Amino acid sequence: MRPNICLLMSLFEVLCMSLLVYECTSAPVAVVIDKHSSVNHTAGIKEEIESYRDVANQIIEFLLNGTGKGQAYKRLALFTDTFGNRISGSKNLENAIDYLIEELQKDGLENVHGENVTVPHWVRGQESATLVEPRNYDIALLSLGEVLEHLLKVKYVLKIMVMVVERGVGEWNNQQTIFKLAGMTADVLVVHSFDELHNRSSEAKGKIVVFDQGWVNYGVSVQYRDFAAEETSKVGGIAALVRSVASFSIHSPHTGMQFYKDSIKKIPVACIAVEDAEMLSRMAARGTKIVIKLILEAQTLPDAVSRNTVAEIIGSKYPEQVVLVSGHLDSWDVGQGAMDDGGGAFVSWQALSVIRQLGLRPKRTMRAVFWTGEEQGYVGSQQYYEQHKSNISNYDLVMESDGGTFTPTGISNSGNAATQEILKQVLDLLSPINATTLQVSTDGGDVQSWMDAGVPGGNLLNQNDRYFWFHHSDGDTMSVQDPYMMDLCAAVWAVVSYVVADMDEMLPR
């Protein structure tokens, strides 16, 4: 799931909301849509959207009580039980993509194909953390995947490095591709924030630094996963262990990415279970000496070729114009990737599948894209954007589901005021399932580049309070998913994408 610019985007979102409120509370002006007469055109659009109510009800009924009931869940269960987790660069991911392409074709969708992209290939290897003092105890941990250079606007440059560390002494060889750490045993410094780390920087040299930063929200807490190693290295620490970014835990470590600047000496880093971080924090507060032996092995192999997977229902009148729904097919190498993001990918498949099964044909092309390499920084989706941006004027709406497929409440969207009004009316068609909320947002994840370029875009909104219980952990399995909730999410995705794809005009920009 997209983690890394949440705070920046949240601040920007607040600014956008402020501007929207100012616009709406200033001297009253009519909403102008594409230079047409605003009053008459707006009234016409309302009537046009209302004319889809019967179709929307048909889609909802098909998914909740008809042939489509439980279909997305069953497809996802078969997929995840067959392939399990699907990390970027792995043969397992490529086998899963082969399977999905075959199944999309069997489902009768059109123009099904893969589009090659280059993705990182990181392999976990052996890992352990053993508490040596004050007692012998195995700490639950997961190493963090490696991203060496973090650029804004969701662009990442992955570079190759090697580090061999024994007893805390490191050697570098930038010509090789193996990162290996063996037998590091060191005293521990426990801190609760970056500020505390830098205030106690004189104590950090030569130590393993443990970050016990309690859950606030993902945007705040994920910074410690992303940048703990970098900040620890700055003050002379030799490794970092980070409290897992999770709102609830049953002794379950959560993995994810961590970032380095090229100018900072690289040190190893892993996430540990919330319970273990809190235990170490209590020990440190008592003044107890803490010693940990850390063994981590990982490989950053040469980049691999993977595929974004594409399926369509080709438009009857404007086939070159596109309404895009999406989710990512890759996952971390733990759990099954059923929630993150199997659910989002498979409700995107279902959005097209239900339209095909009902014999509907929108004026514009409905396209589902199943991204690859998302977990390493939107790698596949960024390359898709570069490959297709020359046709940007033909992209009508771009949406992604990557925040869970629990009970849906509506969608978020980045469009202008006129687009917001249109989408509110489209969402009113979802009144029977209480999914009518439209949230103004500039956070797009895999579709961010399209949104930045002015294409209306957004995400599925759902009641995902439990999302970070399972995120990037062994707990991300089909047991998290619920067939009824997935059907509801598919209904939102299908109704919104179909109606927008079938309207007489594209959304205004």
Side-chain angles (χ1 to χ4, degrees):
M1 182 208 174
R2 56 188 178 281
N4 309 302
I5 56 172
C6 296
L7 284 181
L8 178 62
M9 297 308 299
S10 295
L11 290 171
F12 185 64
E13 182 177 326
V14 169
L15 175 60
C16 291
M17 284 290 290
S18 300
L19 292 173
L20 182 60
V21 169
Y22 174 79
E23 179 181 337
C24 293
T25 55
S26 300
V29 292
V31 176
V32 179
I33 303 178
D34 242 7
K35 299 182 180 180
H36 292 283
S37 170
S38 59
V39 176
N40 293 336
H41 194 60
T42 300
I45 287 178
K46 287 181 178 179
E47 292 176 1
E48 181 184 10
I49 294 172
E50 183 60 30
S51 72
Y52 288 101
R53 192 165 296 275
D54 287 346
V55 173
N57 290 337
Q58 184 183 9
I59 291 171
I60 293 169
E61 178 66 17
F62 179 84
L63 286 166
L64 300 188
N65 300 305
T67 307
K69 182 178 180 179
Q71 197 172 61
Y73 177 90
K74 291 175 184 176
R75 286 169 167 170
L76 178 61
L78 175 59
F79 178 78
T80 55
D81 291 344
T82 301
F83 297 101
N85 55 62
R86 307 165 299 280
I87 193 168
S88 167
S90 68
K91 182 64 176 175
N92 204 41
L93 173 60
E94 297 313 304
N95 289 340
I97 293 172
D98 288 340
Y99 168 87
L100 182 61
I101 289 174
E102 184 176 344
E103 291 301 307
L104 292 168
Q105 291 170 337
K106 288 179 182 178
D107 192 33
L109 299 181
E110 299 165 311
N111 194 25
V112 177
H113 65 281
E115 297 183 4
N116 286 356
V117 294
T118 301
V119 297
H121 190 187
W122 177 85
V123 181
R124 180 175 302 279
Q126 180 184 355
E127 57 189 10
S128 67
T130 304
L131 183 66
V132 176
E133 294 186 39
R135 65 183 175 94
N136 189 269
Y137 169 74
D138 291 331
I139 295 169
L141 91 165
L142 287 171
S143 300
L144 295 178
E146 189 173 28
V147 175
L148 300 183
E149 186 71 21
H150 177 207
L151 305 177
L152 290 178
K153 289 185 180 284
V154 202
K155 296 177 182 177
Y156 302 89
V157 179
L158 300 177
K159 298 181 185 286
I160 295 173
M161 63 164 231
V162 62
M163 182 180 184
V164 180
V165 181
E166 294 190 16
R167 297 184 180 87
V169 179
E171 297 178 3
W172 291 87
N173 183 342
N174 291 321
Q175 302 304 312
Q176 298 184 40
T177 61
I178 298 176
F179 162 77
K180 186 173 183 179
L181 166 67
M184 173 186 284
T185 301
D187 290 358
V188 169
L189 171 67
V190 178
V191 298
H192 302 86
S193 68
F194 289 139
D195 286 342
E196 182 181 357
L197 172 66
H198 291 288
N199 289 338
R200 301 177 64 184
S201 58
S202 61
E203 303 174 55
K205 188 172 183 179
K207 292 184 179 178
I208 297 171
V209 176
V210 172
F211 289 84
D212 180 30
Q213 189 272 337
W215 172 265
V216 177
N217 57 50
Y218 193 66
V220 171
S221 298
V222 76
Q223 295 181 85
Y224 289 86
R225 189 197 73 193
D226 289 350
F227 302 112
E230 181 177 297
E231 295 302 314
T232 298
S233 181
K234 289 178 183 178
V235 295
I238 58 174
L241 298 177
V242 186
R243 173 178 170 143
S244 285
V245 185
S247 55
F248 178 76
S249 175
I250 307 178
H251 205 227
S252 51
H254 296 236
T255 191
M257 286 191 298
Q258 46 91 15
F259 300 111
Y260 285 119
K261 291 187 177 70
D262 286 341
S263 58
I264 304 298
K265 180 181 178 181
K266 284 72 179 176
I267 62 172
V269 59
C271 273
I272 61 176
V274 168
E275 294 85 346
D276 289 343
E278 291 179 341
M279 177 188 70
L280 295 172
S281 188
R282 292 192 300 273
M283 289 178 175
R286 299 185 195 110
T288 302
K289 181 179 180 179
I290 304 171
V291 179
I292 288 177
K293 179 179 180 179
L294 193 61
I295 297 176
L296 302 176
E297 292 184 355
Q299 295 184 55
T300 302
L301 301 175
D303 289 346
V305 175
S306 186
R307 290 159 289 173
N308 292 317
T309 306
V310 179
E312 295 179 338
I313 294 176
I314 298 173
S316 62
K317 187 174 182 180
Y318 310 112
E320 74 283 358
Q321 296 175 6
V322 175
V323 170
L324 184 151
V325 292
S326 66
H328 67 85
L329 209 62
D330 66 302
S331 72
W332 280 106
D333 59 334
V334 291
Q336 290 182 308
M339 181 192 73
D340 183 18
D341 182 34
F346 275 62
V347 299
S348 295
W349 172 6
Q350 189 69 353
L352 271 64
S353 184
V354 64
I355 300 306
R356 196 275 306 164
Q357 291 178 70
L358 290 174
L360 300 172
R361 174 74 66 173
K363 295 181 181 72
R364 291 173 193 83
T365 294
M366 292 175 62
R367 179 179 297 167
V369 182
F370 309 91
W371 312 113
T372 193
E374 186 275 348
E375 295 294 2
Q376 284 70 35
Y378 313 122
V379 176
S381 60
Q382 184 61 36
Q383 291 178 57
Y384 177 91
Y385 174 75
E386 295 298 330
Q387 293 163 1
H388 293 271
K389 65 182 180 181
S390 60
N391 297 317
I392 195 166
S393 63
N394 283 325
Y395 279 75
D396 190 6
L397 176 68
V398 292
M399 299 193 295
E400 181 185 43
S401 173
D402 186 19
T405 47
F406 302 97
T407 301
T409 58
I411 65 170
S412 66
N413 190 263
S414 63
N416 61 24
T419 288
Q420 299 290 330
E421 283 303 311
I422 292 170
L423 291 176
K424 285 178 184 177
Q425 294 162 40
V426 173
L427 287 170
D428 186 65
L429 301 175
L430 293 161
S431 296
I433 60 171
N434 299 311
T436 59
T437 299
L438 181 69
Q439 181 184 93
V440 178
S441 176
T442 57
D443 183 9
D446 278 305
V447 297
Q448 187 69 56
S449 293
W450 298 95
M451 291 164 58
D452 289 345
V455 179
N459 307 112
L460 177 71
L461 298 179
N462 64 104
Q463 297 174 4
N464 60 356
D465 295 345
R466 296 184 297 135
Y467 186 86
F468 292 107
W469 295 15
F470 312 106
H471 180 248
H472 293 183
S473 78
D474 279 317
D476 183 359
T477 69
M478 278 305 297
S479 296
V480 178
Q481 298 298 112
D482 178 87
Y484 178 66
M485 292 180 184
M486 287 189 69
D487 289 341
L488 291 173
C489 291
V492 174
W493 237 214
V495 169
V496 172
S497 59
Y498 174 76
V499 171
V500 173
D502 198 55
M503 291 176 64
D504 287 337
E505 297 185 21
M506 293 177 67
L507 295 172
R509 302 190 183 181

